[in-house]
């Protein structure tokens, strides 16, 4: 057996969270190593490089706040950054902070085992290397495990199969081809307008239509970024105080604004019509009661259908694009010209609710509605979110218990989304039950990393070697996070979203976010820390 490398903290993953953790732990003087499966930094922003990939939060807010120098030195070119720019930004950060010397790339962790006697974790890689560390920070990402469907005949396809979650590094030439896209979540909705412009023919295979709001992304005007940078302190302060960790316009802020709008149910027919006349699909959904009242939500869906029918010329296609699941149960989507794309002559929508996919054949896709000949099939079919990455590693805590078994039996439980009872000294950045994907991911991960760094500082100062979430505290936390969403459509039985595990066959359903907002979450985390880490046992 090879000699194990020993460090104080082993960070798994070199995406946004892992890079931040490495930098902050180094500042603390902790010997830290990051291991990363890929050959570069960026995590999900390295591999989701499909055409049109873009963030739906503004670049100046979807970026690290811990370095004023980086804030000033990095030049964003657009209001909402596209994937290549985010990848370049993370590479810039890695170079600027000289992070690479403590990152081992092409290193895939397959097991982590906690030794109760030594209070240390041993991690093994796919290549058989071993690392030993008292603390592990799982910066493994919330949307890092693509969910690839199990459709009969997928491996027989004679053309090119592409997966948005592991897009070829050098891109894919889609020009002049017959392309099929399966999946119409955020990813599909983003890429479909872009692919339609390149393809000879585009066939969209839609199982569930999306609610999506039109959005304008634009390059910064001359001097605009410099002006924003000149008041970065103020921008960050506003972000910190904002429930979603992004105070400027974002997909989330649109939803928050809706909460304080008048109810749809008491609006007159004239008011409803005017909302759609003036604001299209946005006007259809922009009512305060749609989050809490399923009937109001259904009424909004009807209005939404009217708004879509005003954009999409073909009546059957327009009707097929109207969702039947409640609005807001899935993550909000913003798009650039999605519905207009279906007016193009080279685009066909296949509504799988009228006849499902039977199989992939050597020449295309066979459905109950007919066969579609294709050169390329793109799978934009989502992720095993939040718990997927750690469930694919053999994570063994106290008494050899496997984390994936705990989550399979109890659902994605966690205390604060930071630790799971029975898994001492394992910190999960953006674990289930934390604000994570219900907020600006970067703001949320910085708060997690700060908390972990403060916790390790405290442990050092008080001579503690272990910290472990208590089962009762975990149960109470889950009750709290669940109670927050109970009155909303987020947990309606007709809502199959990655937020509640409903998109993964067999996954135990539980809403995995924290919805009282980042400031309230931070307040609770800080209070727990100030009380000597209540709800945890320190040893
Ligand atoms: P997603 O929202 O889970 O959507 C997956 C799509 O694939 C759904 O339409 C799903 O249909 C469909 N699908 C899955 N299996 C299928 C099958 N066997 N046959 C036909 N259709 C199938 O995944 P995503 O679009 O990758 O987005 C996931 C998350 O990533 C987003 O919510 C967001 O948080 C993040 N993201 C963000 C951005 C952005 O910032 N703008 C862009 C991309 C992704 P059903 O709904 O019927 O299951």
């Amino acid at each position: 057996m090879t000699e194990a490398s020993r460090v104080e903290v082993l960070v798994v993953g070199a995406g946004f969270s892992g890079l931040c953790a490495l930098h902050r732990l180094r500042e603390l003087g902790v010997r830290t190593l990051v291991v990363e499966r890929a050959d570069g930094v960026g995590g999900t922003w390295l591999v989701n490089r499909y055409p049109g990939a873009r963030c739906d939060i503004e670049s100046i807010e979807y970026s690290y706040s811990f370095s004023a120098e980086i804030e000033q030195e990095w030049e964003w070119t657009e209001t909402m950054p596209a994937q290549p720019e985010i990848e370049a930004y993370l590479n810039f950060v890695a170079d600027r902070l000289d992070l690479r010397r403590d990152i081992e790339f092409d290193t895939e962790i397959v097991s982590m085992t906690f030794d109760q006697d030594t209070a240390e974790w041993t991690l093994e890689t796919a290549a058989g290397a071993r690392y030993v560390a008292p603390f592990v920070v799982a910066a493994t990402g919330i949307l890092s495990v693509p969910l690839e469907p199990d459709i009969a005949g997928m491996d027989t396809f004679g053309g090119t199969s592409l997966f948005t979650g592991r897009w070829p590094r050098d891109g894919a030439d889609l020009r002049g081809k017959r392309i099929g896209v399966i999946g119409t979540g955020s990813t599909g909705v983003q890429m479909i307008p872009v692919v339609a412009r390149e393809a000879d023919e585009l066939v969209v295979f839609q199982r569930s239509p999306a609610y999506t709001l039109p959005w304008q992304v634009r390059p910064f005007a001359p001097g605009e970024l410099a002006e924003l940078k000149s008041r970065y302190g103020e921008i960050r302060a506003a972000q910190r105080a904002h429930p979603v960790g992004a105070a400027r316009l974002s997909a989330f802020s649109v939803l928050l604004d809706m909460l304080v709008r008048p109810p749809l149910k008491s609006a007159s027919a004239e008011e409803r019509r005017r909302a759609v006349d003036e604001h299209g699909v946005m006007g259809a959904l922009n009512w305060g009661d749609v989050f809490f009242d399923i009937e109001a939500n259904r009424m909004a869906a009807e209005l939404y259908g009217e708004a879509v029918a005003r954009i999409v010329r073909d009546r059957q296609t327009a009707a097929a694009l109207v969702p039947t699941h409640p609005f807001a149960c899935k993550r909000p989507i913003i798009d650039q010209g999605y519905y207009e794309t279906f007016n193009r002559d080279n685009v066909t929508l296949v509504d799988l609710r009228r006849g499902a996919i039977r199989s992939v054949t050597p020449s295309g896709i066979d459905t109950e509605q007919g066969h579609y000949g294709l050169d390329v099939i793109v799978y934009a079919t989502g992720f095993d979110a939040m718990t997927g990455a750690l469930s694919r590693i053999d994570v063994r805590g106290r008494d050899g218990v496997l984390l994936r078994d705990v989550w399979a039996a109890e659902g994605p439980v966690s205390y604060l989304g930071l630790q799971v009872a029975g898994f001492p000294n394992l910190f999960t950045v953006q674990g289930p039950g934390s604000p994570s994907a219900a907020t600006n991911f970067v703001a949320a991960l910085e708060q997690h990393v700060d908390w972990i760094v403060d916790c390790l500082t405290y442990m050092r100062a008080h001579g503690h070697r272990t910290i472990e979430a208590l089962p009762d505290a975990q149960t109470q936390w889950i009750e709290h996070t669940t109670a927050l969403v109970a009155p909303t459509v987020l947990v309606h039985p007709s809502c199959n979203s990655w937020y509640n595990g409903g998109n993964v066959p067999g996954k135990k359903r539980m809403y995995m976010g924290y919805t009282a907002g980042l400031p309230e979450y931070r307040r609770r985390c800080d209070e727990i820390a100030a009380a000597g880490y209540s709800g945890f046992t320190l040893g």
Side-chain angles (χ1 to χ4, degrees):
M1 184 157 292
T2 52
E3 179 88 12
S5 307
R6 302 186 83 87
V7 288
E8 268 177 276
V9 180
L10 198 99
V11 177
V12 185
F16 257 109
S17 304
L19 297 181
C20 178
L22 172 57
H23 171 63
R24 299 281 286 105
L25 288 164
R26 260 193 199 166
E27 281 183 331
L28 195 65
V30 171
R31 214 151 33 87
T32 306
L33 182 71
V34 177
V35 287
E36 165 57 54
R37 181 177 51 182
D39 60 359
V41 300
T44 204
W45 286 110
L46 174 66
V47 291
N48 281 270
R49 46 202 309 117
Y50 56 87
R54 185 180 289 280
C55 183
D56 54 10
I57 294 171
E58 290 199 18
S59 46
I60 56 160
E61 296 193 316
Y62 193 80
S63 49
Y64 293 126
S65 71
F66 60 68
S67 162
E69 289 79 22
I70 288 173
E71 280 177 349
Q72 293 302 322
E73 289 167 18
W74 179 256
E75 295 286 314
W76 295 108
T77 64
E78 294 179 293
T79 49
M80 286 187 178
Q83 177 276 332
E85 194 154 283
I86 299 175
E87 186 189 339
Y89 168 76
L90 289 171
N91 276 280
F92 172 79
V93 172
D95 292 336
R96 181 69 174 73
L97 300 174
D98 190 19
L99 297 178
R100 286 178 217 276
R101 68 181 151 89
D102 289 323
I103 306 175
E104 293 190 0
F105 293 104
D106 299 308
T107 303
E108 183 180 2
I109 298 297
V110 292
S111 73
M112 307 182 191
T113 309
F114 186 70
D115 183 327
Q116 280 161 237
D117 297 330
T118 60
E120 286 177 326
W121 284 91
T122 299
L123 291 86
E124 267 189 26
T125 73
R130 288 187 312 134
Y131 302 89
V132 174
F135 296 97
V136 174
V137 174
T140 39
I142 58 168
L143 293 161
S144 52
V145 177
L147 195 62
E148 294 174 4
D150 185 18
I151 302 173
M154 272 172 72
D155 54 345
T156 67
F157 183 52
T160 306
S161 300
L162 296 170
F163 299 85
T164 52
R166 50 184 176 94
W167 199 259
R169 181 60 71 91
D170 299 325
D173 187 5
L174 304 177
R175 280 171 304 181
K177 306 247 167 65
R178 296 170 304 161
I179 298 167
V181 173
I182 301 179
T184 50
S186 300
T187 302
V189 166
Q190 266 189 340
M191 77 178 302
I192 283 164
V194 182
V195 172
R197 293 195 287 270
E198 293 187 15
D200 187 26
E201 267 178 57
L202 171 62
V203 186
V204 176
F205 296 89
Q206 171 197 268
R207 190 165 70 183
S208 303
Y211 291 97
T212 170
L213 302 170
W215 209 267
Q216 218 210 347
V217 175
R218 58 175 178 82
F220 281 116
E224 187 180 357
L225 183 63
E227 190 277 324
L228 290 168
K229 283 181 177 180
S230 71
R231 49 186 182 87
Y232 231 137
E234 182 194 313
I235 290 171
R236 294 299 190 195
Q239 263 187 272
R240 257 182 93 80
H242 198 280
V244 298
R248 298 168 66 82
L249 207 56
S250 73
F252 292 117
S253 68
V254 167
L255 285 196
L256 275 190
D257 292 347
M258 285 177 186
L259 284 172
V260 293
R261 299 277 304 156
L264 174 55
K265 270 181 139 173
S266 42
S268 67
E270 168 57 20
E271 284 167 327
R272 292 173 201 175
R273 193 186 51 76
R274 198 163 358 107
V276 176
D277 283 350
E278 292 174 5
H279 304 289
V281 289
M282 178 71 193
L285 304 173
N286 201 9
W287 307 94
D289 48 354
V290 296
F291 297 91
F292 305 101
D293 184 333
I294 196 70
E295 189 46 38
N297 202 297
R298 286 200 186 103
M299 288 161 64
E302 216 176 295
L303 280 184
Y304 189 84
E306 288 174 27
V308 172
R310 294 185 190 194
I311 309 171
V312 178
R313 285 193 292 270
D314 179 73
R315 282 180 60 188
Q316 197 175 330
T317 304
L321 285 164
V322 182
T324 42
H325 63 270
F327 166 65
C329 97
K330 300 189 182 191
R331 192 177 188 279
I333 303 181
I334 59 177
D335 71 86
Q336 291 173 75
Y338 182 65
Y339 290 122
E340 290 79 358
T341 300
F342 292 93
N343 289 332
R344 295 177 65 104
D345 291 340
N346 67 336
V347 177
T348 306
L349 179 71
V350 180
D351 181 0
L352 296 173
R353 295 172 299 184
R354 294 167 67 96
I357 293 177
R358 279 205 197 105
S359 64
V360 175
T361 69
S363 60
I365 293 181
D366 190 35
T367 76
E368 287 166 2
Q369 308 171 53
H371 185 268
Y372 296 85
L374 300 166
D375 305 311
V376 179
I377 300 176
V378 179
Y379 297 90
T381 44
F383 299 88
D384 183 356
M386 307 294 290
T387 55
L390 284 178
S391 295
R392 275 157 184 76
I393 298 173
D394 287 338
V395 181
R396 289 186 189 277
R398 226 171 246 296
D399 305 319
V401 170
L402 269 173
L403 181 55
R404 84 168 75 91
D405 289 349
V406 172
W407 280 341
E410 299 176 34
V413 291
S414 165
Y415 182 39
L416 303 174
L418 277 159
Q419 266 211 353
V420 181
F423 298 82
N425 292 8
L426 170 61
F427 295 104
T428 51
V429 181
Q430 312 259 22
S434 70
S436 67
T439 59
N440 174 0
F441 178 87
V442 183
L445 78 86
E446 284 192 332
Q447 186 266 339
H448 262 194
V449 170
D450 286 350
W451 192 91
I452 293 166
V453 168
D454 289 347
C455 176
L456 292 176
T457 308
Y458 176 92
M459 289 178 73
R460 269 184 170 186
H462 292 80
H464 294 300
R465 291 185 59 212
T466 57
I467 178 163
E468 183 177 354
L470 291 166
D472 283 354
Q474 178 168 283
T475 303
Q476 281 167 23
W477 182 252
I478 297 299
E479 282 169 5
H480 170 56
T481 59
T482 309
L484 287 172
V485 288
T488 73
V489 296
L490 293 169
V491 287
H492 193 267
S494 64
C495 171
N496 292 316
S497 125
W498 64 259
Y499 277 128
N500 61 25
N503 67 326
V504 181
K507 190 163 172 172
K508 193 144 181 155
R509 282 174 81 110
M510 184 189 285
Y511 187 80
M512 289 188 273
Y514 180 75
T515 52
L518 254 175
E520 170 61 12
Y521 176 77
R522 184 183 295 112
R523 189 193 66 73
R524 285 175 180 260
C525 288
D526 291 349
E527 197 175 83
I528 284 165
Y533 293 88
S534 52
F536 292 93
T537 174
L538 291 141

